[in-house]
Amino acid sequence: MEELNHNKNQLDLMQAALDHLNQGFSVFDANLRLVAWNRGLWEMLDFPQELARRGTHLEAFLRVNAERGEYGPGDIEGKIQRRLRRAQEFEPHYFERVRPNGQVIAVNGSPLPMGGFVTTYSDITEQRRRQEKLERTVEERTRALRQSEDWLRLVTDNIPALIAYLGPGPVFRFANRRYAEWFGQSVMSIVGRSAEEVAGKDLYLELAPHISQAFKGQAVSYEYDRRTADGSTVYMRSTLIPDITNDGRTLGVFVLSLDATDQKRTEARLLQSQRMDAVGKLSGGLAHDFNNLLSILMGNILSLKRHGQEINPDILSKHMTPMLKATRRGADLTQRLLAFSRGAPVAPQLCRLDKLLSDVETLLAGSLPSSIDFQIREAASVSARIDPAQLETALVNLVFNARDAIGETGHIDVLLQRDTLSKSEAEAIGLRAGTYAAIKVSDDGVGMDEQTRLRIFEPFFTTKSFGTGSGLGLSMVYGFAKQSGGAVAISTFKSRGTEITLYLPFEETSSQQICVMGNKQSDISPVPTGNGELIMLVEDDQDVALTLAEQLKDLGYTTLLASDVEDARALAQDIPELRMVLSDIVMPGQTNGLSLARAIRQRRPELGIILMTGYADWGVLDPQSSDCGFPLLMKPFENSQLAILIHQTLNGSVS
């Protein structure tokens, strides 16, 4: 009896423990009869109290649930029997059941070793509600994020800028419509592609150093150009901004770019306008120089004519030497003026500034009145990476502005030197501390007041009377300096003159000949001569043709003259002994010398062909070609130039 009471106490203790669980609990034996349970099961599932006794069969519980709709509508007996058959398999099971009142019950059953199974019942209603709420929140935030991305895409696709994001690789993670279309992509196709694949191998080689610098955490700005499918050149100005975390890691790079094509073309038109304005100013001085040159030629020719048969070698040399010098100076002045007026695309290159200033002096010396003392001094051999044509334009503008400030008499000095700027000096003009090539143009003219000095670089601002100045000169000087990575500084005082200093990034070079025309071979140097080879000369100007024929004869060649393109084409085809064709480019009629050369080359590819011209820009004859494809002589030329080029062409070293 005492042992029975002990066992009962133990069972009561176990039951009390089970009743304190926050889950429902039940144990059914191998016959599917209730063995144990707790109060939580009845409170959770609302079973009738009469079922709460040992030996109640599982079917009774299933029937209560089925009859009150716990298993849904339909065949009650069928639902009960199906569940009994599954229970008799004594397999582990877990399922969640939603009761008609919305309560969610998780049922987890495990088989017992001696048969039967133990089952726990958990009310997970609040857990599922929190989960559903979380899922709705995630869905709403995802929808909001998608809407935010759509708005971002809408904004970035409609602003006049090209925007992208580069991830490590570098690989594009985002690009707006304008950026994608710039590279012939769509906003979808560009994502995931490498920068090299999108930009192309050649362009990527140019961009890679800037991208690498940005991934190292440094913001960088640069410009580049590329050829489009239709052959035109487009320009881009880009800024790369690293995406840096608080701990200093670079996650990617933001790309902000602007299509600078229209701006570049506008700048080119403004530059050409300013250049032509300067040409107009130069023309007066050049006319004076050419009149002097013609006077030299005419005077010496008349003197030779007077001497007649009395000419001896000494007299001939006395008159021929100044004539030859005059023609050379005239040719040089012409070429410099043509190069200056024609201009060239912005093409920075490493230039010896002392050599370039010497060339500009040729342009300027005859364009200033004799009452103005003008000199160019070089304190050192200095080089910089600039566009030489733009520097020429800038110097012409600075000197002419100084001339206008002086009036009738005064001094203009141009000094080239190497300057090392301290941090404070450099920051004052927007540069970094370091060494610069400095070109100082100073005058002792009227100077400027403070109001004028502050506005001097504004486009279209001028102190000159209406119609005598465009107001673009100094703005173009300023633009050139900035574009070259330099700056302009002004020191001026009213009635005491002005000094304008052009600072350009200095670069070391050991080259003796950069940005300057090659030296002409001396007349006394030996030149290659011919052995009677037949050369056809195509030239419509009779006087020029006769002069060139004499030159060819003196060089040892036999000359066949053709005065027009049709005769030349026929002769080239009919005369097998012909070895070479020397033709002018600009010819009368619809066919020019370039077309003639191409036609002859197709029919007789073994013939040597040399073209010659005195035209400023022969490229307008064939806008589709940047290279005529044949050796080219610019008129006038010397015997040595002609002899060397003929020798190279006949021997196949030039084609």
Side-chain angles (χ1 to χ4, degrees):
M1 188 67 174
E2 182 177 349
E3 182 179 353
L4 184 62
N5 288 334
H6 176 72
N7 290 338
K8 183 177 181 303
N9 290 336
Q10 291 292 325
L11 290 173
D12 291 342
L13 181 62
M14 183 183 299
Q15 187 65 50
L18 292 174
D19 287 342
H20 279 82
L21 294 176
N22 60 359
Q23 294 175 297
F25 175 83
S26 68
V27 179
F28 286 85
D29 62 17
N31 296 317
L32 300 181
R33 293 190 177 278
L34 183 64
V35 176
W37 68 92
N38 71 344
R39 184 174 63 239
L41 177 64
W42 259 256
E43 292 176 352
M44 185 182 301
L45 299 179
D46 301 322
F47 283 127
Q49 283 299 320
E50 60 267 21
L51 299 182
R53 56 184 176 80
R54 291 184 179 88
T56 302
H57 198 274
L58 176 62
E59 180 182 358
F61 293 94
L62 297 177
R63 186 171 297 278
V64 170
N65 282 340
E67 289 178 347
R68 63 187 181 186
E70 298 274 352
Y71 304 142
D75 180 13
I76 292 179
E77 291 299 326
K79 295 178 184 296
I80 294 173
Q81 294 306 314
R82 283 195 298 274
R83 283 167 172 76
L84 283 175
R85 285 194 294 272
R86 285 200 299 269
Q88 289 169 350
E89 296 175 357
F90 298 104
E91 295 288 338
H93 57 275
Y94 175 86
F95 59 88
E96 295 180 7
R97 181 160 58 83
V98 181
R99 302 185 66 200
N101 62 1
Q103 186 181 26
V104 183
I105 304 298
V107 181
N108 191 355
S110 301
L112 297 171
M114 304 301 295
F117 52 83
V118 58
T119 305
T120 58
Y121 307 84
S122 303
D123 186 346
I124 60 172
T125 306
E126 288 301 318
Q127 179 181 341
R128 287 292 173 264
R129 287 175 180 171
R130 286 194 298 270
Q131 182 177 349
E132 290 174 359
K133 183 178 180 181
L134 178 61
E135 289 175 352
R136 286 195 302 271
T137 301
V138 170
E139 182 181 356
E140 290 171 358
R141 290 184 178 178
T142 301
R143 187 168 55 251
L145 179 60
R146 188 178 299 113
Q147 186 180 40
S148 177
E149 290 177 348
D150 291 342
W151 275 103
L152 177 62
R153 171 69 65 185
L154 181 64
V155 171
T156 57
D157 282 350
N158 285 278
I159 62 175
L162 291 79
I163 301 172
Y165 185 88
L166 282 172
V171 174
F172 282 97
R173 299 300 183 195
F174 172 85
N176 70 344
R177 176 177 54 82
R178 293 176 185 268
Y179 193 97
E181 290 176 352
W182 171 271
F183 287 108
Q185 301 282 338
S186 68
V187 294
M188 299 301 294
S189 67
I190 197 172
V191 174
R193 292 180 181 265
S194 68
E196 181 175 4
E197 182 183 2
V198 171
K201 186 176 181 179
D202 293 339
L203 178 57
Y204 182 71
L205 289 175
E206 180 181 348
L207 303 182
H210 303 298
I211 296 174
S212 176
Q213 185 178 353
F215 270 98
K216 291 178 182 177
Q218 302 177 20
V220 58
S221 297
Y222 56 92
E223 290 185 1
Y224 65 91
D225 62 80
R226 68 179 183 87
R227 302 281 288 183
T228 61
D230 62 4
S232 61
T233 301
V234 290
Y235 299 87
M236 176 79 86
R237 184 175 294 117
S238 293
T239 297
L240 305 183
I241 303 173
D243 181 12
I244 303 177
T245 62
N246 291 333
D247 58 358
R249 291 178 295 112
T250 301
L251 301 179
V253 173
F254 294 100
V255 184
L256 175 61
S257 301
L258 294 174
D259 186 343
T261 305
D262 289 341
Q263 180 181 347
K264 288 286 186 181
R265 290 171 180 167
T266 300
E267 288 176 354
R269 286 193 292 268
L270 287 173
L271 181 61
Q272 183 65 12
S273 172
Q274 182 62 24
R275 184 179 289 111
M276 295 312 298
D277 180 59
V279 167
K281 296 174 181 177
L282 284 167
S283 61
L286 289 173
H288 174 268
D289 271 7
F290 272 109
N291 284 333
N292 287 339
L293 297 175
L294 291 173
S295 297
I296 295 170
L297 293 173
M298 185 176 295
N300 282 278
I301 291 171
L302 290 173
S303 179
L304 288 173
K305 184 177 180 180
R306 283 195 305 271
H307 281 84
Q309 300 297 325
E310 301 175 5
I311 299 177
N312 61 47
D314 291 336
I315 294 176
L316 182 62
S317 175
K318 176 182 177 182
H319 291 288
M320 291 299 294
T321 299
M323 290 172 64
L324 186 58
K325 287 183 178 179
T327 55
R328 284 175 176 169
R329 176 164 169 76
D332 183 61
L333 283 171
T334 303
Q335 292 302 323
R336 298 304 300 164
L337 180 61
L338 292 179
F340 180 83
S341 62
R342 181 170 62 247
V346 176
Q349 53 185 296
L350 192 56
C351 292
R352 279 278 301 277
L353 299 186
D354 49 331
K355 298 291 186 181
L356 197 147
L357 260 64
S358 177
D359 291 340
V360 174
E361 188 173 15
T362 305
L363 281 173
L364 294 171
S367 302
L368 298 172
S370 58
S371 58
I372 293 180
D373 179 24
F374 171 66
Q375 64 174 338
I376 293 181
R377 294 177 291 130
E378 298 96 21
S381 176
V382 182
S383 300
R385 190 170 299 277
I386 50 93
D387 183 291
Q390 286 204 32
L391 179 58
E392 286 185 351
T393 304
L395 289 173
V396 168
N397 277 304
L398 291 175
V399 171
F400 281 147
N401 274 358
R403 179 199 64 184
D404 295 340
I406 289 174
E408 294 183 0
T409 61
H411 301 273
I412 299 176
D413 290 322
V414 178
L415 172 62
L416 171 65
Q417 64 185 29
R418 187 185 309 178
D419 274 2
T420 300
L421 300 181
S422 65
K423 183 177 180 180
S424 59
E425 291 172 330
E427 288 180 349
I429 54 176
L431 295 176
R432 295 181 179 179
T435 302
Y436 291 87
I439 302 175
K440 301 178 184 290
V441 180
S442 58
D443 65 70
D444 55 359
V446 296
M448 309 178 202
D449 56 28
E450 183 63 15
Q451 183 179 3
T452 301
R453 189 189 69 81
L454 292 174
R455 299 188 60 193
I456 199 66
F457 292 124
E458 293 181 12
F460 306 109
F461 173 76
T462 180
T463 58
K464 300 172 185 176
S465 59
F466 180 78
T468 61
S470 64
L472 293 174
L474 288 179
S475 68
M476 298 299 284
V477 172
Y478 179 84
F480 159 70
K482 285 296 184 182
Q483 191 176 46
S484 301
V488 183
I490 294 182
S491 175
T492 184
F493 298 94
K494 192 69 174 174
S495 302
R496 292 170 55 188
T498 299
E499 180 180 86
I500 297 181
T501 304
L502 191 59
Y503 289 102
L504 301 170
F506 170 79
E507 288 196 31
E508 291 282 0
T509 178
S510 59
S511 173
Q512 297 300 311
Q513 184 181 348
I514 302 179
C515 292
V516 293
M517 298 177 64
N519 296 326
K520 296 181 177 66
Q521 184 168 338
S522 171
D523 285 339
I524 63 173
S525 301
V527 295
T529 57
N531 192 27
E533 293 92 339
L534 182 60
I535 296 177
M536 179 168 63
L537 175 61
V538 188
E539 172 61 64
D540 61 299
D541 189 304
Q542 190 66 23
D543 292 334
V544 174
L546 292 175
T547 302
L548 290 174
E550 283 295 320
Q551 283 184 269
L552 291 171
K553 180 180 177 181
D554 292 340
L555 293 173
Y557 298 103
T558 303
T559 306
L560 176 66
L561 287 176
S563 59
D564 59 56
V565 170
E566 294 306 320
D567 285 346
R569 185 184 289 114
L571 291 171
Q573 185 174 356
D574 296 339
I575 302 177
E577 295 82 9
L578 192 63
R579 294 289 307 281
M580 200 191 78
V581 176
L582 176 62
S583 175
D584 193 16
I585 290 182
V586 180
M587 303 282 286
Q590 296 182 347
T591 306
N592 56 55
L594 181 57
S595 300
L596 170 65
R598 289 171 176 167
I600 294 175
R601 176 59 55 84
Q602 285 183 344
R603 296 182 180 181
R604 294 192 59 180
E606 81 284 1
L607 272 183
I609 299 175
I610 298 176
L611 297 178
M612 53 186 177
T613 184
Y615 191 52
D617 190 3
W618 64 268
V620 298
L621 301 174
D622 186 7
Q624 301 302 317
S625 175
S626 59
D627 182 6
C628 70
F630 300 94
L632 184 64
L633 277 171
M634 295 300 297
K635 295 178 180 178
F637 44 81
E638 299 191 29
N639 275 3
S640 58
Q641 295 173 278
L642 179 61
I644 292 172
L645 194 52
I646 291 177
H647 177 75
Q648 292 174 340
T649 303
L650 290 176
N651 286 277
S653 57
V654 174
S655 59

